[in-house]
């Protein structure tokens, strides 16, 4: 409060003493009466010889030299081609001390850069850290650890948790070192399903099987193993640990979202098990609409049914059952799929061994009596309460 009051006082003083406020105005004509005659003189105002133009005191950016080394955990050898980007933290009023600084490690794994930052004293009321760091290794390598990181991922844990994520640095003194390890490359191509042309600059992600992006809200928001963008030929490369993933793209302008499917004709998230480098994970994107919902066993939102299969079949006079979209509910009972505009009939199948019965939309018993769901350009939400099996 004292610091704020002092700042306001300095602003008032600077405003009062500025040339704009000391400029002499042209005096009004002096009125004269016949009897008696009064001589009225206008005092001469002497402006300050040198008006004060010095700005109010404030924080000054400080150049900080940063350096470190990127090494492979397996051999200790330096890793070349690792891109290091540092973003200085702004003050609470949004002022930044300077632009981002970027460096790339040399053949011995060393990088050096200089970045303008605020002093810890200037940041005291805004932040407890000075900069954010982003590390982008070349394809085939994963970030295991970054020294001096406060937030952004668990340092020293399994690979990939820090790759492509902004990391918070609390201390810029001394080296900021990076530890990497080999990973597996998933490669594929993103094309337009309408023209067949490759799509450049399209974001692609490898998601863990419990990612909330797969299940429409339920799940783990942080199960994003790796992200990449397509090159000018539409090709992407993701580096991941051994594991199981869903490959996901948002498409052009984030409007043609689709998961990789082992059946390209079906819009579903097929899980991909990765134990080695894999190629040919291609995705053709078309205009789609989000079809989401919530499958539960009771009236409460705490009654979500996990593992229910939701399938959308082509309707509008088409005989059963040509599958277009498939999704599985997460542990909260939510699901999401992206399907082209059209007319569909949906079935909700509980997991095996469940005490609940399968049903079609609007509690229909089968495809023939199910209510059509017309999908246009607007998102659709379908909430279903399953009935118990009859004894």
């Amino acid at each position: 409060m004292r610091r704020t009051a002092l700042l306001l006082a300095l602003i008032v003083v600077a405003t009062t003493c500025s040339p704009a406020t000391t400029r002499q105005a042209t005096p009004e004509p002096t009125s004269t009466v016949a009897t008696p005659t009064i001589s009225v003189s206008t005092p001469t105002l002497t402006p300050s010889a040198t008006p004060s133009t010095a700005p109010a005191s404030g924080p000054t950016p400080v150049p900080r030299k940063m350096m470190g080394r990127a090494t492979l955990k397996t051999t200790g050898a330096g890793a070349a081609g690792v891109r290091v980007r540092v973003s200085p933290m702004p003050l609470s009023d949004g002022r930044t001390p300077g632009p981002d600084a970027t460096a790339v490690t040399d053949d011995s794994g060393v990088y050096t850069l200089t970045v303008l930052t605020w002093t810890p004293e200037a940041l005291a009321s805004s932040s407890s850290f000075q900069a954010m760091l982003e590390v982008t290794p070349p394809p085939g390598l994963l970030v295991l650890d970054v020294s001096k990181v406060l937030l952004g991922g668990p340092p020293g844990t399994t690979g990939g948790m820090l790759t492509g994520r902004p990391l918070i640095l609390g201390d810029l003194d001394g080296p900021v070192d990076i530890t990497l390890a080999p990973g597996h490359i998933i490669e594929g191509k993103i094309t337009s399903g309408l023209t067949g042309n490759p799509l450049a600059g399209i974001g692609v992600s490898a998601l863990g099987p419990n990612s909330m992006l797969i299940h429409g809200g339920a799940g783990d928001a942080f199960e994003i193993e790796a992200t990449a963008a397509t090159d000018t030929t539409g090709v992407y490369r993701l580096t991941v640990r051994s594991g199981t993933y869903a490959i996901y793209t948002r498409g052009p302008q984030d409007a043609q979202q689709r998961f990789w499917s082992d059946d390209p004709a079906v819009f579903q998230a097929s899980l991909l098990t990765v134990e080695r480098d894999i190629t040919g994970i291609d995705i053709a994107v078309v205009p789609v609409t989000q079809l989401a919902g919530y499958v539960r066993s009771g009236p409460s939102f705490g009654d979500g049914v996990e593992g229910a299969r939701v399938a959308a079949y082509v309707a509008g006079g088409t005989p059963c059952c040509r599958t277009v979209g498939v999704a599985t509910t997460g542990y909260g009972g939510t699901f999401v799929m992206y399907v082209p505009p059209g007319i569909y009939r949906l079935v909700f199948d509980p997991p095996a061994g469940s005490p609940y019965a399968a049903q079609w939309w609007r509690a229909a018993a089968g495809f023939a009596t199910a209510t059509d769901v017309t999908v246009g350009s607007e998102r659709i939400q379908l909430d279903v309460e399953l009935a118990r099996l009859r004894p």
Side-chain angles (χ1 to χ4, degrees):
M1 183 65 71
R2 183 178 300 172
R3 179 180 176 184
T4 303
L6 177 59
L7 180 58
L8 290 174
L10 289 173
I11 293 172
V12 171
V13 170
T15 304
T16 304
C17 296
S18 67
T21 58
T22 59
R23 180 168 56 89
Q24 181 176 334
T26 303
E28 295 291 334
T30 304
S31 300
T32 305
V33 294
T35 305
T37 300
I38 302 175
S39 177
V40 180
S41 61
T42 303
T44 301
L45 299 178
T46 303
S48 173
T50 306
S52 174
T53 58
S57 61
T60 301
V62 178
R64 300 294 300 271
K65 184 177 181 180
M66 271 186 61
M67 64 175 297
R69 187 167 184 252
T71 56
L72 296 175
K73 183 177 181 180
T74 50
T75 64
V82 179
R83 183 174 178 270
V84 181
R85 179 179 177 180
V86 179
S87 303
M89 297 305 302
L91 295 176
S92 56
D93 59 9
R95 282 183 294 165
T96 57
D100 294 356
T102 303
V104 178
T105 59
D106 60 20
D107 290 341
S108 61
V110 173
Y111 73 91
T112 303
L113 58 83
T114 299
V115 61
L116 290 172
T117 66
W118 299 120
T119 63
E121 292 75 20
L123 281 168
S125 62
S126 305
S127 172
S128 60
F129 44 86
Q130 292 182 288
M132 299 190 76
L133 178 72
E134 184 177 336
V135 179
T136 306
L141 291 179
L142 296 166
V143 178
L144 296 184
D145 192 16
V146 178
S147 63
K148 299 184 181 296
V149 166
L150 293 180
L151 295 171
T157 60
T158 52
M161 297 304 294
L162 302 176
T163 301
R165 316 284 177 82
L167 311 172
I168 294 174
L169 291 174
D171 178 12
L172 302 185
D173 295 328
V176 178
D177 295 325
I178 303 162
T179 305
L180 305 105
H184 306 300
I185 296 178
I186 303 172
E187 181 180 304
K189 191 172 187 178
I190 308 298
T191 58
S192 167
L194 301 178
T195 67
N197 294 332
L199 298 174
I202 303 299
V204 186
S205 301
L207 309 176
N210 292 317
S211 173
M212 64 185 299
L213 291 175
I214 301 173
H215 304 294
D220 189 343
F222 301 101
E223 278 207 5
I224 302 176
E225 176 74 7
T227 60
T230 57
D231 61 19
T232 56
T233 66
V235 173
Y236 70 89
R237 294 176 182 86
L238 296 164
T239 303
V240 300
R241 299 170 286 168
S242 296
T244 300
Y245 305 101
I247 309 304
Y248 168 73
T249 179
R250 298 183 65 88
Q253 300 179 343
D254 295 343
Q256 299 182 25
Q257 303 179 60
R258 188 165 189 184
F259 296 96
W260 173 78
S261 174
D262 53 13
D263 182 351
V266 177
F267 290 72
Q268 68 175 339
S270 295
L271 295 180
L272 179 69
T273 299
V274 181
E275 297 293 343
R276 55 179 176 80
D277 292 352
I278 297 178
T279 61
I281 307 302
D282 303 331
I283 304 175
V285 295
V286 296
V288 291
T289 299
Q290 186 185 95
L291 182 60
Y294 180 64
V295 179
R296 61 182 187 266
S297 59
S300 169
F301 277 95
D303 297 327
V305 176
E306 179 181 3
R309 178 181 179 271
V310 183
Y313 301 103
V314 176
T318 301
C320 186
C321 289
R322 178 185 160 198
T323 306
V324 173
V326 179
T328 304
T329 58
Y331 68 80
T334 59
F335 71 91
V336 65
M337 68 175 75
Y338 300 93
V339 294
I343 301 175
Y344 304 103
R345 293 185 179 179
L346 279 83
V347 65
F348 305 87
D349 285 318
S354 168
Y356 304 101
Q359 68 180 53
W360 292 74
W361 178 236
R362 299 296 188 196
F367 179 89
T369 57
T371 301
D372 288 343
V373 176
T374 301
V375 177
S377 59
E378 299 295 325
R379 177 184 184 273
I380 292 179
Q381 176 78 19
L382 303 177
D383 295 338
V384 174
E385 183 176 336
L386 299 177
R388 282 189 171 270
L389 290 168
R390 294 180 179 178

